[in-house]
Amino acid sequence: MKPTRSDQVASFLRCFAVQGSWNYRSLVAGGLANAMLPLLRRIYAGDPVRLRAAVERHLEPFNGHPYLCPMAVTALARLEHDGESPERIDRFRSALRAPLGAVGDELVWATWRPFCLLLSITIFWLWGRPWVAVGVFLLAYNLGHIWLRAWSFRRGWTEGLGVGKDLGDPPWARVVPWITSLNLLLIGSAVVLVSWLVAPDTLGRWGVALALAAAALLGYARPALGERLAAGLVLAAPVLLVLLGA
Amino acid sequence: MPIAVYRIDERLLHGQVVVGWGRRLGIGFYAVVDDRIARTAWERDLYGSALPAGVDSFFLTVEDAIGELPELEGRGDIGIALTAGTAEMRRLGEAGLLVGQEVNLGGLHATEGRERLLDYLFASRDELQDIRALGDLAGSVSARDLPGSPRIGLRRLLKTVERARP
Amino acid sequence: MSELDLSLGLLAALVACGAALGLDAVSWPQAMISRPIVAATLGGALLGDATSGFLVGAVLELLGLGHTPYGAAVYPETGPAGLLAGAGLAAGGGSGIGPLLVAVASGWAIGWIGAISIRMQRSLNERLLAGGGLAAPAKKLERRHRLAMVLDALRAGTLTAAFALPIMLLVKLADGISTMEGVVAASALLLVGMGLAGGVGAGVMRRRATDPLLLLAGGAIALAMIVTGR
């Protein structure tokens, strides 16, 4: 039986908690199966044996970007609805982990989230109002966030096995390289602006801002070294301060 | 070294690899060595859709990879070679492709019959044998999920297994 | 040094916020209220100084650029950490680099302690979902899934409760070091600088030869903004 509108709404809302039972054995599978349940219950209405088999199938390890997991939820439900063989569903499920993780990580964690955060820092610099900056971040970020969840939920059911086409040429493909470049500009600027804001007048803010920007470029050239040094030094800070300042 | 890392990761092309490693190393191409995927068009399409524009992917059977990976070494950019399991990587090693190369254990997840080495690395007895063999066939073997994570050497990994056994 | 004024009501508000922020990061709904700039501004606002909170949040953001939740990667938990760093700086009431740095360092440290607690939570989730019978009846799966989320919120709330007071006292101590000049200020700045360097170095992409140039251009634009007073 085809899932109703209310089944779809229930499933979509559950997608927001897809990582709710994240664990090292099955990763997000618990959340995936939980989000699929309203759809599976309708698809296998009156057939508890096949419902149970389907839920068990989707409790097998799965991972993907949480905002694109709705695509897995509906694409897999579509395959169940269309009566595809369990073997084909399993293979599709395995292959789907790759683009759902990579495309989502690239788009959201590496591009959209830093962009909104860096934009927020710039806005704080320009207007000096923390809640305006935070508000712009939350609004801009979540417009993208919720749109992506809704898009992936819809496309998953429509395309089923063919979601690779959508993921290979997604609506954001042309915008991402621009945002990525913009992010580099914003990072360069944020490092200087934040350094300027935290630098004490006693040292001469010009020297400080330039020195910090140079340090950031050094970090760019040798990330592993920069990261290790940064972590060590920052954690040692309270001790250093007490020793030197007391 | 155009192929910077030979990675064993059953998820193959996913976020950690494409974004985590790809961005850090400036990866230009991925060579996925997997018999089944190389022969199935829709699976190739689905895995290929994981890559950003401008990054190339090659899906090769193990046999083809033995001939073609050395050719890919001649490209001007940096790449990562991936296998989903240890057996395929061992075959690459036995063909002499891994001499002086770094083999990275990036992700084998929990299934029946596998024991835990790390949060992201579980292995069966057969897989452990492959990993031991890779120690002789490759320049170095270590576990690391992301470039910024600690690198855990083969000796330490094997000690973990020995300690866990009664 | 002024008195540290932390009522039970305020502590309860911090713990409730910490729980909600901790839940947001991974479990539900991932609206990113758990990011340091949001969490630290909230923490600062609760203690009466949202601006200080935002600033410490901004430093933590840049510091953590390279720590992204790819797959099963371990990364600092930013919600309770940002909240407490922001609250700590606001409560400390200091304006110098010392309190800011201690707040950042505390946030960074709590972030990693949070990461350890998340790892424990994930192992517990493994047990919650282990064994058969989850699918029949499927209600059991739904119950266990919800329980995992409740435990995640409790975990984050407990973390916040445990560190709220120590962080505020620590920042307060740094505020006692009232004038910071010469070697001390330079050392403190070096820490922030290296932090930013590490974050930026690990966080940005390096696919094209023009990438470092864009980074430099961004820095130049910022300098121009400073010069022109914007």
Side-chain angles (χ1 to χ4, degrees):
Chain A
M1 205 184 294
K2 194 179 170 189
T4 63
R5 190 88 177 151
S6 69
D7 298 332
Q8 289 187 10
V9 171
S11 171
F12 181 67
L13 290 176
R14 288 185 184 207
C15 287
F16 284 85
V18 74
Q19 295 198 135
S21 52
W22 207 108
N23 66 89
Y24 292 110
R25 190 157 285 273
S26 64
L27 308 167
V28 302
L32 180 85
N34 180 62
M36 287 179 74
L37 263 175
L39 306 175
L40 292 176
R41 281 193 175 118
R42 185 72 61 188
I43 291 166
Y44 295 115
D47 191 346
V49 176
R50 289 176 70 200
L51 172 65
R52 180 183 174 170
V55 175
E56 275 171 357
R57 198 157 36 241
H58 298 296
L59 279 169
E60 289 299 312
F62 188 83
N63 210 8
H65 191 281
Y67 299 175
L68 285 178
C69 276
M71 182 174 264
V73 167
T74 47
L76 290 166
R78 180 66 195 259
L79 264 57
E80 297 280 355
H81 175 264
D82 292 351
E84 291 284 355
S85 69
E87 199 235 338
R88 197 164 163 91
I89 293 174
D90 283 347
R91 282 177 62 177
F92 174 69
R93 202 170 171 275
S94 274
L96 198 54
R97 291 188 300 183
L100 287 194
V103 173
D105 286 355
E106 173 90 18
L107 172 68
V108 183
W109 300 150
T111 308
W112 184 241
R113 191 171 76 178
F115 171 72
C116 295
L117 287 167
L118 293 162
L119 185 70
S120 167
I121 291 174
T122 312
I123 285 172
F124 176 74
W125 168 266
L126 290 173
W127 284 285
R129 292 192 184 157
W131 284 116
V132 172
V134 167
V136 168
F137 164 69
L138 287 176
L139 189 69
Y141 179 82
N142 283 304
L143 278 175
H145 160 207
I146 292 170
W147 175 84
L148 183 59
R149 286 200 196 252
W151 175 84
S152 67
F153 190 85
R154 230 180 18 249
R155 297 309 296 167
W157 182 264
T158 311
E159 294 294 331
L161 266 179
V163 290
K165 282 198 300 280
D166 277 343
L167 292 168
D169 184 24
W172 56 83
R174 286 196 198 141
V175 191
V176 164
W178 286 101
I179 302 181
T180 304
S181 297
L182 202 54
N183 278 351
L184 283 164
L185 278 171
L186 287 170
I187 289 175
S189 108
V191 165
V192 175
L193 296 180
V194 171
S195 304
W196 183 263
L197 287 171
V198 303
D201 293 329
T202 47
L203 282 180
R205 283 186 146 180
W206 277 111
V208 168
L210 284 171
L212 289 180
L217 276 178
L218 185 86
Y220 179 83
R222 299 288 304 275
L225 179 71
E227 204 170 19
R228 266 198 299 276
L229 273 174
L233 286 172
V234 169
L235 288 176
V239 180
L240 191 75
L241 275 172
V242 170
L243 286 180
L244 290 172
Chain B
M1 51 161 197
I3 294 184
V5 181
Y6 285 75
R7 179 171 167 108
I8 300 171
D9 187 334
E10 64 192 6
R11 300 158 296 178
L12 295 167
L13 295 166
H14 65 113
Q16 278 187 2
V17 172
V18 176
V19 192
W21 286 82
R23 285 195 169 217
R24 178 69 76 94
L25 301 182
I27 294 300
F29 72 95
Y30 294 88
V32 175
V33 183
D34 188 288
D35 289 350
R36 197 187 69 193
I37 297 172
R39 292 188 183 119
T40 317
W42 69 264
E43 281 187 271
R44 284 198 307 270
D45 289 347
L46 207 47
Y47 278 103
S49 68
L51 299 180
V55 176
D56 294 331
S57 58
F58 302 91
F59 295 93
L60 308 165
T61 60
V62 177
E63 208 165 297
D64 290 345
I66 290 168
E68 290 183 31
L69 283 181
E71 286 175 28
L72 288 176
E73 292 270 355
R75 279 174 61 112
D77 50 0
I78 301 174
I80 292 181
L82 288 153
T83 66
T86 54
E88 294 91 334
M89 191 62 83
R90 184 174 177 172
R91 282 177 64 194
L92 295 183
E94 284 164 351
L97 261 62
L98 302 179
V99 176
Q101 300 282 5
E102 178 182 347
V103 171
N104 165 248
L105 306 168
L108 292 172
H109 286 104
T111 52
E112 205 65 34
R114 276 181 178 166
E115 52 191 312
R116 182 194 289 263
L117 306 184
L118 299 166
D119 283 342
Y120 57 87
L121 201 65
F122 296 69
S124 66
R125 281 176 189 258
D126 287 349
E127 285 167 331
L128 278 171
Q129 272 188 357
D130 290 336
I131 292 170
R132 278 198 191 91
L134 283 167
D136 298 326
L137 297 166
S140 69
V141 179
S142 60
R144 191 160 47 139
D145 54 352
L146 284 163
S149 307
R151 191 199 296 255
I152 297 162
L154 183 58
R155 197 177 298 171
R156 205 173 125 200
L157 272 177
L158 296 176
K159 264 190 194 154
T160 316
V161 186
E162 280 154 20
R163 263 205 307 272
R165 280 186 187 149
Chain C
M1 200 188 296
S2 64
E3 290 301 312
L4 190 60
D5 183 16
L6 185 64
S7 66
L8 262 182
L10 194 56
L11 188 63
L14 274 174
V15 171
C17 287
L21 297 175
L23 190 67
D24 174 70
V26 175
S27 294
W28 178 86
Q30 296 203 291
M32 294 303 126
I33 55 169
S34 47
R35 290 312 302 173
I37 56 163
V38 185
T41 306
L42 181 63
L46 283 173
L47 272 290
D49 186 359
T51 302
S52 290
F54 186 92
L55 206 54
V56 71
V59 175
L60 282 170
E61 284 294 354
L62 293 178
L63 207 65
L65 266 181
H67 293 279
T68 317
Y70 302 137
V74 183
Y75 49 90
E77 188 197 20
T78 55
L83 180 81
L84 291 179
L89 188 59
S95 55
I97 184 86
L100 178 102
L101 189 64
V102 173
V104 168
S106 308
W108 193 245
I110 297 171
W112 283 107
I113 294 169
I116 295 168
S117 73
I118 287 180
R119 197 173 173 275
M120 289 160 71
Q121 163 89 44
R122 289 177 169 182
S123 299
L124 185 66
N125 289 350
E126 197 171 310
R127 269 184 252 165
L128 278 179
L129 294 192
L134 279 180
K139 277 201 179 326
K140 191 172 172 188
L141 164 66
E142 290 168 316
R143 277 199 302 269
R144 294 285 173 95
H145 187 70
R146 275 198 297 271
L147 178 61
M149 291 198 285
V150 170
L151 290 174
D152 191 30
L154 284 175
R155 174 198 61 75
T158 309
L159 188 74
T160 312
F163 286 99
L165 208 56
I167 294 308
M168 289 183 200
L169 289 173
L170 200 61
V171 179
K172 202 80 189 141
L173 180 72
D175 191 34
I177 308 162
S178 53
T179 48
M180 295 234 318
E181 287 180 349
V183 177
V184 185
S187 314
L189 271 167
L190 183 70
L191 303 184
V192 177
M194 290 313 298
L196 297 182
V200 169
V204 301
M205 62 169 286
R206 49 196 67 240
R207 284 200 188 121
R208 301 161 305 189
T210 51
D211 291 346
L213 296 178
L214 283 171
L215 207 63
L216 273 178
I221 292 169
L223 286 176
M225 283 159 75
I226 291 169
V227 171
T228 56
R230 283 318 305 260

